[in-house]
Amino acid sequence: MSTSEPTASRQPEDRATPDRLLHARTGTDVSPEDLVLASGKDLTPRNLEWAKRKLAAEGPAALEKMLP
């Protein structure tokens, strides 16, 4: 039986994803564009204004709240 992924490299389904893989922060500033895209919205002037207000109120943590 042919598989695209070797059995040895598969993770058991009952294992949790390591924390380092769950967070997107790279130590750089979060832009309004980052926040809009993380929310799944289109880059429109209205959505960018929303992101700017959210970043002003919550800071970079606003992005972490959007991501799993």
Side-chain angles (χ1 to χ4, degrees):
M1 179 174 172
S2 175
T3 62
S4 61
E5 186 176 356
T7 305
S9 66
R10 291 185 191 160
Q11 290 186 348
E13 290 187 29
D14 62 342
R15 289 189 59 202
T17 303
D19 192 50
R20 66 182 167 74
L21 297 177
L22 293 175
H23 299 283
R25 288 294 309 248
T26 60
T28 60
D29 291 330
V30 176
S31 71
E33 290 85 358
D34 294 334
L35 194 56
V36 170
L37 293 174
S39 70
K41 299 177 182 179
D42 293 328
L43 287 172
T44 65
R46 181 178 180 178
N47 290 339
L48 288 170
E49 285 303 316
W50 163 83
K52 288 176 187 176
R53 289 191 306 273
K54 191 160 182 70
L55 284 172
E58 300 177 22
L63 182 64
E64 288 295 325
K65 292 176 183 177
M66 292 285 195
L67 301 175

